[in-house]
Amino acid sequence: MNRLLNSIIENNKKWTKEGKVASYIPELYKMDPDLLGIYVCTLSGEEYFSGDFNKKFTIQSISKIITLMLAILDNGKDYVFSKVGMEPTETSFNSIINLEIKDPHKPINPMINAGAIATVSMIAGKDSDEVFQRILKFARKISGNPAMDINQNVYKSEKETGNRNRALGYFMKSTGVLDGNVEEILDVYFKQCSLEVTCKDLARIGAMLANDGVLPSSGERIVPRDTARIVKTIMVTCGMYDASGKFAVDIGVPGKSGVGGGILACVPRRMGIGVFGTSLDEKGNSVAGIKVLEELSKQLDLSIF
Ligand code: DON
């Protein structure tokens, strides 16, 4: 398996020359554009890796699946989806247009920024600090990485330049989607996006989802089977934004991307996969990361469809 991963990384290294490193968060633009790595955790406990699997990057939008799980655990799925929709969208991850023209009272899904910010606002805690500490504790547990923490430079950079997210936040405050202090909700969102991870962390989270909400390493149930099912379904339909259809056709497994270059994929009842390739396509998804997953899916016949 390691030989297969080595050859897939080698074959697809050329794709790191395509696309661009995210620059709208200045600190992200400092990342080396040539990085490419993969980590696979099978449900029987085997772990395989290749390339830059050890390099740290920020989790960015992949954190939206973590906060979706916590929001459902805290409120139940009926409440969460009464506030945030579950339909795919053909517009970009930071789009405001659906909020304006489709439903100003309900962001279209929990994976676009508006829906993710609304989801964060539902997580329990006496103040924003406690909410973030709960997210961090949960993220550390499901990744098996007790040292996971914020990249302070990325966090500061996001907070300084996150005016599109502020616009989404204040728009949703004006229409009653958000209760509470918008800056505090956004602060939690900026922090969760700035969590620093490796491919291994993503693969372990993916393996928990692939295992229907149970950590394969310890057998501990993290979320009910139904919650894991919902999260995987939303990943298939919305996880890669307006490229979710193509990802489903070409790769065929639940996936979630982040502008840090990571993609978390999970193959139900088989494995979790973490991929990292810094250069992004125009939709904000890792160009080489998608190619790596495409080849792996073909070689191992991973598509669930
Ligand atoms: O909200 C933002 O713009 C970023 N912190 C996260 C966006 C993101 O990762 C989109 N995914 N590809």
Side-chain angles (χ1 to χ4, degrees):
M1 180 76 160
N2 270 337
R3 210 164 335 122
L4 173 68
L5 296 185
N6 286 340
S7 87
I8 292 178
I9 291 291
E10 233 13 79
N11 295 345
N12 291 288
K13 196 84 187 171
K14 57 179 182 286
W15 293 104
T16 61
K17 307 289 174 216
E18 305 284 316
K20 291 196 180 82
V21 179
S23 57
Y24 76 101
I25 300 169
E27 196 61 29
L28 288 185
Y29 197 52
K30 295 182 180 165
M31 293 288 290
D32 176 353
D34 297 330
L35 298 173
L36 188 61
I38 184 167
Y39 206 100
V40 171
C41 294
T42 70
L43 297 201
S44 46
E46 290 124 17
E47 306 207 344
Y48 305 99
F49 38 84
S50 180
D52 299 303
F53 66 91
N54 248 337
K55 282 273 185 307
K56 287 185 176 170
F57 53 93
T58 52
I59 190 167
Q60 297 298 337
S61 286
I62 301 166
S63 63
K64 292 167 180 173
I65 61 179
I66 298 174
T67 42
L68 177 59
M69 284 187 274
L70 265 184
I72 295 175
L73 285 179
D74 285 353
N75 304 277
K77 72 172 194 303
D78 293 344
Y79 181 78
V80 171
F81 290 109
S82 71
K83 297 280 197 184
V84 177
M86 51 170 91
E87 298 305 330
T89 166
E90 69 282 9
T91 57
S92 64
F93 67 83
N94 56 5
S95 172
I96 200 164
I97 196 163
N98 286 323
L99 270 181
E100 272 193 300
I101 63 170
K102 287 213 163 124
D103 187 349
H105 306 289
K106 193 168 178 179
I108 201 139
N109 69 57
M111 297 295 114
I112 55 161
N113 289 10
I117 293 165
T119 306
V120 171
S121 77
M122 290 180 236
I123 296 176
K126 67 175 184 311
D127 54 25
S128 58
D129 200 44
E130 189 173 298
V131 171
F132 177 69
Q133 287 308 321
R134 288 191 62 226
I135 296 170
L136 180 60
K137 195 169 164 206
F138 189 66
R140 284 175 172 169
K141 174 150 208 167
I142 61 179
S143 62
N145 176 4
M148 187 190 293
D149 219 332
I150 295 176
N151 177 319
Q152 290 292 342
N153 291 335
V154 173
Y155 163 59
K156 281 187 203 122
S157 190
E158 289 222 35
K159 199 170 162 101
E160 264 163 40
T161 58
N163 292 320
R164 175 74 75 110
N165 287 324
R166 277 190 189 92
L168 293 169
Y170 283 103
F171 186 96
M172 290 192 287
K173 177 82 180 177
S174 80
T175 60
V177 177
L178 292 187
D179 264 342
N181 183 305
V182 178
E183 288 300 330
E184 283 180 16
I185 295 167
L186 287 169
D187 191 55
V188 175
Y189 175 74
F190 295 139
K191 281 184 178 150
Q192 71 175 69
C193 287
S194 307
L195 286 176
E196 213 162 37
V197 292
T198 63
C199 293
K200 180 178 181 173
D201 299 323
L202 300 185
R204 292 229 171 132
I205 299 171
M208 181 273 288
L209 286 169
N211 200 29
D212 295 330
V214 173
L215 284 179
S217 51
S218 62
E220 184 183 354
R221 177 160 290 286
I222 298 290
V223 292
R225 187 189 180 102
D226 196 49
T227 305
R229 181 188 62 77
I230 292 167
V231 171
K232 284 182 278 191
T233 313
I234 302 258
M235 285 166 73
V236 168
T237 54
C238 312
M240 307 298 285
Y241 310 109
D242 41 337
S244 298
K246 187 164 168 38
F247 190 86
V249 169
D250 293 345
I251 296 157
V253 300
K256 180 75 208 84
S257 62
V259 291
I263 303 176
L264 181 156
C266 100
V267 189
R269 288 173 263 295
R270 286 179 71 179
M271 63 184 78
I273 308 169
V275 172
F276 167 53
T278 338
S279 293
L280 309 177
D281 61 23
E282 68 290 345
K283 304 199 168 174
N285 300 324
S286 169
V287 180
I290 287 180
K291 295 287 180 190
V292 163
L293 285 172
E294 218 175 293
E295 193 174 333
L296 187 69
S297 175
K298 285 207 178 80
Q299 292 280 349
L300 300 182
D301 192 19
L302 298 182
S303 177
I304 62 173
F305 299 109

